[in-house]
Amino acid sequence: MELNTDYDIEKAFRAIEDELISSMIRNLDGHRAEETELGYNWSQWQVEQLKALEKYKADNKKRFQSKFSDINGSIDAMIFTARQTGGTEQEQKILRALKKGLKASKVSQGTEGAFFKLNTRKLNALIKATKSDFNRAEKAMLRMSEDKYRQIIFNAQVYANTGAGTYEKVVDMATRDFLKAGINCIEYANGARHTMKDYAKMAIQTANKRAYLTGEGEMRQSWGISTVIMNKRANACPKCLPFVGKILIDDVWSGGKESDGPYPLMSSAMAAGLYHPNCKDIHTTYFPELDEEPDGKFTKKELEKVKEDYRQDQKQQYAGRMVEQFDRLSKYSLDSDNKKMYEVRKEQWENVSKEYERGYIDNNSQRIGTNKIDLDYINSKDYADKYMKISKDMELNNVIYSKSMDILRSNNSSDTEGLCVISVSNRQVLLNVRGKPDAIGVELNKKQMSIINKHKNDIIGIHNHPTNLLPNGSDFVAAGARGYQYGIVITHDGRIYKYSVGDKPFLPYLLDNRIDKYCSKEYNLNIKEAYEKALNEFRKEYGISWQEIE
């Protein structure tokens, strides 16, 4: 397969990831635990699987060495082609500008040649660094697949001891977290983990863009031009937004100097976040003689549009990741019921993704209504009175009401979640945490978890559901792990749910899978009814408590 674009590289790593996972699952499906009168012989199964793991490691090293070599060998040509393309396309733009009246002439060959050599050295360093990063990441990819296989082998017996049932169900429980995440062997500085294909796409896109901008810059410098303008685009990211529509002096790729005009330097803009990895923004040449100086300011309406487009773009990317997640789960789970449920979730997220691609998101099976809050209703006495029914402690109820209102007002028309943790005994707020924008979730760091651990069993947790859905598997598991007396879910359409765990713990996906099951066409239930049916069954099976406060 020819590897000429970032898409080709991404596709190649996607195929390798699929091979690694499918080979692992084939081993788990083929070497089954022996069933005896006393149950499955997991000890003997572990011995057989550990032998299979050693063969898996050896086979992978042989199988993928040449594939990794082909990928890494394509990087040089890809980057130098991007540089050449950038130079050629920029020369055409300058020649067109000359016909329109631009007054410019070629600089001396000595100056041009020196700059070209400097950029060649920079590109060679970029190629070397990219190849080195790929080589380390490829080794990490194989190492993680082996480590995860080993974890699955030992976790299977742990799950079997919980009474999970059939061999297929036990293995699915052991592989579920791995299949959800994929081989996410790359960890960024912010702690986010990514698969090799995602990292490779980002790295090649970034390297190709820098090579392309290098080619453009060389051509500008050969004509003595250094001014550029950052193009306006609909969904500019927050880091680049301050520079969109602005004129800059390109001292990075075009050899510009501070004395070239009354504009900021490109290097200063980049130090402030412009052209970060995976950046989609781009600049074009600004010809002062021909182009009108732009108005670099956004109107309030334009800013709102940019922010909304950015949010929609982030949601579409999230939907795409969910499609991939449930595709892996449906493809590689062994239990037939699990496969069907994951297929349903995959189809649901595919529909969500398609709606984003068409430019809108309407009511769908992943939410009830919209994330817009009816401010008239939540500011009403009827809504406030609901909170007085949460507990017998009116002072605590008033704190819950106050903090719930803060969460709702600060996340109106957004998929961002907020969490507030309150001490029951003294009614003090211990934590106020806001999740990542539109991420539908809140993650706690070690410091925040240490605060919670000091107050276990004396706290309640309040968080909003922008999707307007009822408490889910993760809500119950978090409530149990953090030691909530009870949790409160507040929805954007004005409903309030109180929930608590029972005496029998369960993994979050058990409840979520039950909900998915009842969302399927054969049950003919809407999503609220599916949640209620599943929650009522778990009330009997696991002793959970839940109610809508009305």
Side-chain angles (χ1 to χ4, degrees):
M1 181 175 74
E2 289 189 19
L3 301 167
N4 299 319
T5 67
D6 57 320
Y7 174 75
D8 294 335
I9 297 281
E10 181 191 20
K11 190 176 176 183
F13 277 116
R14 186 194 299 273
I16 290 170
E17 181 181 52
D18 282 345
E19 280 190 63
L20 286 167
I21 295 174
S22 62
S23 176
M24 183 192 304
I25 298 300
R26 279 197 304 273
N27 283 348
L28 293 168
D29 191 24
H31 302 285
R32 289 172 169 254
E34 181 186 357
E35 190 170 10
T36 66
E37 291 181 4
L38 299 175
Y40 289 101
N41 187 343
W42 292 106
S43 298
Q44 183 58 37
W45 177 81
Q46 285 178 341
V47 172
E48 293 300 318
Q49 285 295 339
L50 287 171
K51 289 179 185 175
L53 170 59
E54 291 307 310
K55 187 174 186 304
Y56 177 79
K57 288 165 66 173
D59 289 348
N60 289 344
K61 193 172 181 181
K62 292 177 188 175
R63 186 187 310 163
F64 297 115
Q65 190 170 11
S66 63
K67 293 184 180 182
F68 289 150
S69 180
D70 289 343
I71 291 170
N72 298 350
S74 69
I75 292 172
D76 303 65
M78 206 179 298
I79 290 177
F80 274 108
T81 299
R83 176 196 196 177
Q84 189 176 28
T85 303
T88 302
E89 292 182 357
Q90 186 59 42
E91 184 176 36
Q92 291 170 354
K93 290 177 185 175
I94 293 172
L95 292 175
R96 286 196 296 270
L98 288 169
K99 288 181 180 179
K100 292 178 182 178
L102 174 68
K103 293 174 182 174
S105 57
K106 281 265 190 177
V107 300
S108 68
Q109 287 189 347
T111 305
E112 183 184 350
F115 193 67
F116 187 84
K117 288 178 183 176
L118 174 64
N119 281 340
T120 300
R121 286 200 296 273
K122 285 182 179 178
L123 278 189
N124 283 331
L126 176 64
I127 290 168
K128 185 177 179 182
T130 304
K131 283 184 167 182
S132 176
D133 288 346
F134 267 46
N135 189 42
R136 286 199 302 272
E138 287 156 358
K139 289 177 181 175
M141 187 181 190
L142 295 182
R143 189 166 56 248
M144 175 175 265
S145 67
E146 294 157 7
D147 290 344
K148 291 296 182 183
Y149 192 173
R150 186 177 290 104
Q151 285 178 21
I152 288 164
I153 292 170
F154 288 100
N155 285 347
Q157 183 164 8
V158 175
Y159 288 122
N161 293 339
T162 67
T166 66
Y167 174 81
E168 289 83 359
K169 288 187 185 295
V170 169
V171 171
D172 284 357
M173 290 176 77
T175 59
R176 183 175 187 271
D177 287 345
F178 169 60
L179 293 178
K180 277 182 70 176
I183 306 176
N184 58 345
C185 55
I186 309 297
E187 184 174 0
Y188 289 175
N190 64 359
R193 298 198 71 90
H194 292 267
T195 61
M196 183 63 199
K197 70 175 180 58
D198 292 336
Y199 166 75
K201 183 181 179 182
M202 179 279 296
I204 290 297
Q205 278 183 344
T206 302
N208 279 347
K209 175 179 271 191
R210 289 179 180 171
Y212 182 88
L213 295 177
T214 296
E216 279 194 331
E218 288 167 349
M219 188 55 64
R220 276 192 212 99
Q221 181 162 23
S222 71
W223 287 91
I225 300 166
S226 64
T227 48
V228 298
I229 182 169
M230 294 303 302
N231 294 347
K232 274 191 176 184
R233 71 182 182 95
N235 56 345
C237 71
K239 285 186 178 180
C240 300
L241 186 57
F243 309 103
V244 170
K246 300 283 195 328
I247 299 169
L248 302 172
I249 295 168
D250 180 13
D251 60 328
V252 177
W253 293 289
S254 305
K257 305 179 297 297
E258 200 169 353
S259 58
D260 289 350
Y263 308 114
L265 294 175
M266 175 68 76
S267 56
S268 299
M270 290 178 69
L274 182 65
Y275 285 137
H276 52 84
N278 238 1
C279 180
K280 295 186 175 100
D281 289 284
I282 196 73
H283 62 255
T284 54
T285 307
Y286 174 70
F287 302 107
E289 299 170 42
L290 304 179
D291 301 331
E292 290 184 15
E293 188 153 335
D295 180 6
K297 296 179 180 177
F298 284 89
T299 65
K300 187 176 180 181
K301 188 175 181 181
E302 284 178 323
L303 274 175
E304 286 302 317
K305 181 73 167 63
V306 167
K307 288 177 183 176
E308 180 57 28
D309 286 342
Y310 178 72
R311 281 197 292 265
Q312 293 291 343
D313 183 58
Q314 294 300 300
K315 290 178 185 178
Q316 184 175 351
Q317 289 184 41
Y318 177 76
R321 291 195 296 273
M322 296 305 289
V323 171
E324 290 184 357
Q325 179 184 119
F326 286 108
D327 179 59
R328 282 192 296 267
L329 285 163
S330 63
K331 191 188 297 182
Y332 297 118
S333 293
L334 299 184
D335 181 73
S336 58
D337 288 340
N338 285 344
K339 292 176 85 72
K340 287 176 187 175
M341 283 188 287
Y342 294 137
E343 189 61 40
V344 168
R345 289 299 297 273
K346 177 189 168 186
E347 288 175 8
Q348 290 171 344
W349 279 107
E350 282 175 336
N351 291 334
V352 173
S353 184
K354 286 172 186 174
E355 289 183 344
Y356 279 124
E357 286 173 14
R358 291 199 295 267
Y360 70 93
I361 182 73
D362 204 347
N363 295 352
N364 59 70
S365 55
Q366 296 302 319
R367 66 171 69 234
I368 299 169
T370 73
N371 57 22
K372 185 173 176 61
I373 292 169
D374 183 346
L375 293 173
D376 288 337
Y377 176 61
I378 73 158
N379 288 322
S380 70
K381 184 177 182 301
D382 287 345
Y383 184 68
D385 286 346
K386 289 184 181 181
Y387 285 87
M388 300 308 114
K389 301 173 185 176
I390 289 176
S391 75
K392 294 178 181 179
D393 185 336
M394 291 300 117
E395 188 178 342
L396 177 61
N397 291 344
N398 277 309
V399 176
I400 294 171
Y401 170 65
S402 173
K403 293 305 165 185
S404 297
M405 294 294 282
D406 289 345
I407 291 172
L408 289 173
R409 285 169 180 154
S410 60
N411 295 303
N412 190 9
S413 297
S414 160
D415 275 350
T416 307
E417 288 191 8
L419 169 69
C420 180
V421 177
I422 300 170
S423 166
V424 175
S425 58
N426 61 23
R427 307 167 195 86
Q428 296 296 307
V429 174
L430 301 176
L431 282 179
N432 255 325
V433 185
R434 196 161 188 247
K436 292 179 181 178
D438 296 307
I440 308 186
V442 180
E443 293 182 7
L444 299 182
N445 58 36
K446 289 181 180 179
K447 185 177 179 182
Q448 291 162 341
M449 280 304 301
S450 69
I451 293 171
I452 282 180
N453 290 335
K454 288 176 185 175
H455 297 84
K456 268 192 171 184
N457 305 317
D458 180 45
I459 53 176
I460 62 167
I462 311 163
H463 73 286
N464 61 311
H465 274 189
T467 55
N468 301 313
L469 298 176
L470 288 69
N472 58 30
S474 295
D475 293 332
F476 280 95
V477 170
R482 295 170 186 171
Y484 290 173
Q485 285 192 14
Y486 55 86
I488 299 290
V489 165
I490 48 175
T491 66
H492 285 209
D493 62 0
R495 285 173 290 127
I496 304 166
Y497 292 98
K498 180 180 179 181
Y499 64 97
S500 60
V501 298
D503 53 5
K504 186 178 178 183
F506 58 87
L507 294 167
Y509 82 92
L510 292 174
L511 175 55
D512 295 340
N513 282 0
R514 190 78 60 90
I515 293 165
D516 292 340
K517 173 183 172 182
Y518 293 136
C519 283
S520 61
K521 293 175 184 176
E522 60 186 291
Y523 288 94
N524 196 30
L525 299 174
N526 64 38
I527 193 162
K528 185 171 182 287
E529 292 168 340
Y531 264 81
E532 290 171 346
K533 184 173 176 62
L535 286 168
N536 286 334
E537 288 180 357
F538 269 57
R539 180 185 278 150
K540 295 176 183 176
E541 295 171 26
Y542 293 93
I544 67 167
S545 168
W546 79 276
Q547 67 177 114
E548 181 178 354
I549 307 295
E550 297 179 293

